[in-house]
């Protein structure tokens, strides 16, 4: 079982995925070393997984194919299925269509 630390009490040399990403690193297949628990009132604590910084690997570079796939996915999220127009923002899943199509009678 991984070690458990309270919020802000983790030792140096450990980082969350977001912290690794901000350093230009990724976990790189290593196992979780520890957990960080942030207590909350009347609810279960928030849990973050910690990884060793020295075993982290550099982030893989963005290839042209990955960039094209990401652009296509974002374009699909912005395209209204009702009017087929690029709304310029991600279509809310709760509406299922752009706001003008949703608001029109």
């Amino acid at each position: 079982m991984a070690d458990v630390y309270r919020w802000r009490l983790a030792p140096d040399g450990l980082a969350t995925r977001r912290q690794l990403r901000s350093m230009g690193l990724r976990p790189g297949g290593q196992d979780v070393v520890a957990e960080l628990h942030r207590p909350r009132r009347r609810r279960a604590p928030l849990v973050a997984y910690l990884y060793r910084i020295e075993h982290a690997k550099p982030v893989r570079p963005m290839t042209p194919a990955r960039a094209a796939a990401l652009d296509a996915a974002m374009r699909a999220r912005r395209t209204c299925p009702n009017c087929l127009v690029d709304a310029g923002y991600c279509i809310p899943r709760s509406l299922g269509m752009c706001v003008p199509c949703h608001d029109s009678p």
Side-chain angles (χ1 to χ4, degrees), residues 8 31 94 100:
R8 298 184 188 264
D31 292 329
S94 59

Side-chain angles (χ1 to χ4, degrees), residues 11-99:
D12 292 336
L14 301 180
T16 63
R17 281 182 180 269
R18 284 190 179 187
Q19 290 169 335
L20 288 175
R21 181 60 85 160
S22 69
M23 293 181 242
L25 301 171
R26 61 186 168 96
Q30 65 175 302
D31 292 329
V32 173
V33 176
E35 292 181 0
L36 189 66
H37 287 207
R38 180 179 182 184
R40 299 189 298 175
R41 297 177 201 223
R42 299 186 190 100
R43 292 191 285 179
L46 291 175
V47 177
Y49 300 112
L50 299 172
Y51 302 90
R52 293 194 187 282
I53 295 173
E54 71 253 9
H55 296 306
K57 296 180 180 176
V59 174
R60 294 185 191 119
M62 181 68 74
T63 63
R66 287 177 65 195
L70 183 59
D71 289 340
M74 292 306 295
R75 193 175 327 106
R77 290 184 65 191
R78 290 191 315 263
T79 304
C80 176
N82 196 25
C83 63
L84 302 177
V85 173
D86 186 342
Y89 55 87
C90 290
I91 305 293
R93 290 177 58 193
S94 59
L95 300 180
M97 60 186 74
C98 65
V99 175

